[in-house]
Amino acid sequence: MASHRKSRTPGTRVAGIRTPALATAALTSVALLSQTADAAPGDDRPSLEEVEKKVGDLYRQAESATEKYNAAKEKTTKQRKRVDTLLDDVAQRTQKLNEARAELGSYAAAQYRTGAGMPDTATFLLAETPQDVFDQRQVLDRMTGRQKAAVDDYVTQQTETMKKRQEATESLRTLTETQGDLKTAKATVQKKLADARELLSKLTAEEKARLAAIEKRKQEEAARKAAELARQQAAQEQAREEAAQQSGGTSESSGSGSTGSADTPPADSSYAAKAEKALAFARAQIGKPYVWGATGPGSYDCSGLTQAAWNAAGVSLPRTTYDQVNAGTTVPVSQAQPGDLVFFYDDVTHVGIYIGNGMMIHAPKPGTYVREESIYYDGDSAIHSIVRPA
């Protein structure tokens, strides 16, 4: 994923001295001229840095829309099941209502044949609502026990059928709304990805090479930070073991190279066993393509991968990053252990599964494949939180 740099604040420092506004403008002009030196006169194309930022923003927006799509899809699936269940219930109750109506009809026909005038039970067949039935109290007084039982059954079936029909109608309305949300999110994802592809398609071969060089430098910096975190975690683990030895206790290492604190103790052996299963699954998916909205087995999006990995360990995670971030205990980055979930960005739209030494397995973005990568792949500030899910 491309970097999302913050725009530089006005003013520039040269040799530690803040330059005047005029000098800043001049330096900016020189920088822009150098970036577009090979462009044709009058070419107003954006700089390579601007393209990189824009593409990165579009991918992030697409990922955000993907998580909304995932949430809407999950809600739609649940709502559709509820509607189907309610409609089945309505059909069954309607059948019972018809049977109750037929029984009342048999009583009404018998009364008619004996010349009893307007049959008592026929009054209830003309009633449109259960309340209409209860309003005929004087008729109920003239009925036999079997007739009253038939009326009670008819009223019960009519009441429940009307109630279920109302629930089904409301559920159908909700289903229509969630299907609309699903359609909107899908269209947003497709639009953002199309815009990103269009921007990239306008780059020259030289620009694409320069963009690849920028990405390589970013990866190298991310790898350096991951190694630094690994050293920090190893030092903390050693300090914890030495402290345990001095106190006469024993130290149980989880093999993660991290340590706990009074507020966040190290994960126990039970967690380590589950994490090992989750990581084994995640590693087996390396090389499979990122496909937005996918949950496997042939392709994944970011939250689809983490959900499937932990499911393989017997732990059920929610579908979206928005819910997964609340499905566990938050721990500091320095105390991350294998199996922990690493969330990114203020809007929590990306997630990977930590494997130790500052590295993770994740499904990055469209056009890429599940891979191992530094948790600093998009800079320090991109990391939102670390969550231990089990």
Side-chain angles (χ1 to χ4, degrees):
M1 181 175 291
S3 175
H4 312 290
R5 299 191 178 94
K6 297 181 180 178
S7 59
R8 180 173 294 176
T9 54
T12 306
R13 287 184 180 273
V14 177
I17 303 176
R18 193 172 187 83
T19 61
L22 183 59
T24 299
L27 288 172
T28 302
S29 298
V30 170
L32 290 174
L33 285 173
S34 65
Q35 290 171 0
T36 58
D38 57 348
D43 190 352
D44 58 354
R45 294 173 61 197
S47 69
L48 191 59
E49 287 75 9
E50 290 171 334
V51 171
E52 181 199 23
K53 182 180 184 305
K54 182 63 176 177
V55 170
D57 288 344
L58 287 169
Y59 277 136
R60 275 198 57 198
Q61 291 165 16
E63 199 160 33
S64 176
T66 293
E67 290 305 312
K68 292 178 181 178
Y69 170 87
N70 291 339
K73 184 178 180 180
E74 184 177 48
K75 185 177 180 181
T76 297
T77 300
K78 291 180 180 179
Q79 196 63 34
R80 185 177 286 113
K81 288 181 180 178
R82 173 171 172 74
V83 168
D84 290 343
T85 299
L86 285 171
L87 290 178
D88 287 343
D89 196 357
V90 167
Q92 292 174 9
R93 292 186 181 281
T94 299
Q95 177 62 30
K96 292 181 179 179
L97 179 62
N98 290 335
E99 292 172 356
R101 182 181 288 112
E103 185 176 3
L104 283 181
S106 66
Y107 284 122
Q111 287 178 315
Y112 183 77
R113 285 195 300 270
T114 60
M118 179 66 177
D120 291 341
T121 49
T123 301
F124 297 98
L125 294 176
L126 297 176
E128 294 183 356
T129 68
Q131 186 60 48
D132 293 338
V133 175
F134 289 117
D135 288 342
Q136 305 296 327
R137 299 186 186 281
Q138 72 279 8
V139 178
L140 283 170
D141 293 338
R142 298 197 299 270
M143 286 187 173
T144 65
R146 291 186 61 187
Q147 284 177 312
K148 289 181 178 179
V151 168
D152 287 342
D153 183 43
Y154 178 74
V155 171
T156 298
Q157 297 303 332
Q158 187 182 43
T159 301
E160 290 300 317
T161 301
M162 292 177 65
K163 178 181 178 181
K164 292 299 179 181
R165 283 175 179 169
Q166 181 61 37
E167 289 181 17
T169 299
E170 181 63 23
S171 291
L172 281 169
R173 182 188 65 77
T174 303
L175 176 59
T176 300
E177 291 178 353
T178 55
Q179 286 176 326
D181 294 339
L182 186 66
K183 184 177 180 181
T184 299
K186 181 177 181 179
T188 301
V189 174
Q190 293 174 330
K191 177 64 166 59
K192 299 301 181 183
L193 295 180
D195 289 346
R197 286 192 296 268
E198 182 180 3
L199 274 173
L200 291 173
S201 70
K202 294 179 180 179
L203 296 178
T204 65
E206 181 182 352
E207 287 173 329
K208 289 179 180 178
R210 289 167 55 197
L211 195 60
I214 292 174
E215 182 64 23
K216 183 179 179 180
R217 288 196 297 271
K218 285 176 54 184
Q219 291 176 356
E220 291 172 348
E221 175 62 15
R224 184 190 67 76
K225 290 180 178 178
E228 182 181 331
L229 175 61
R231 288 192 295 272
Q232 178 186 1
Q233 290 178 332
Q236 290 177 339
E237 178 70 10
Q238 182 178 358
R240 186 173 73 88
E241 291 178 351
E242 291 175 352
Q245 291 174 358
Q246 290 175 1
S247 63
T250 58
S251 173
E252 296 182 0
S253 174
S254 66
S256 67
S258 63
T259 184
S261 66
D263 296 326
T264 311
D268 58 23
S269 58
S270 173
Y271 177 82
K274 293 176 183 177
E276 185 176 354
K277 292 180 181 179
L279 288 173
F281 179 92
R283 287 192 177 95
Q285 313 314 308
I286 291 176
K288 293 184 178 181
Y290 174 104
V291 174
W292 64 272
T295 56
S299 58
Y300 298 88
D301 63 16
C302 66
S303 56
L305 176 64
T306 51
Q307 182 189 48
W310 270 103
N311 185 61
V315 177
S316 179
L317 289 183
R319 174 63 182 93
T320 69
T321 54
Y322 309 129
D323 293 325
Q324 288 182 10
V325 74
N326 296 315
T329 303
T330 301
V331 300
V333 174
S334 62
Q335 296 172 19
Q337 296 190 11
D340 292 351
L341 301 180
V342 189
F343 293 92
F344 297 87
Y345 312 117
D346 291 340
D347 52 0
V348 198
T349 52
H350 188 66
V351 63
I353 183 167
Y354 191 66
I355 61 176
N357 296 324
M359 302 292 289
M360 67 178 174
I361 296 174
H362 69 149
K365 61 184 178 182
T368 63
Y369 299 84
V370 176
R371 66 194 185 199
E372 290 187 10
E373 193 163 24
S374 167
I375 63 173
Y376 298 105
Y377 81 110
D378 207 18
D380 302 57
S381 61
I383 298 176
H384 176 275
S385 58
I386 308 289
V387 172
R388 190 159 297 154

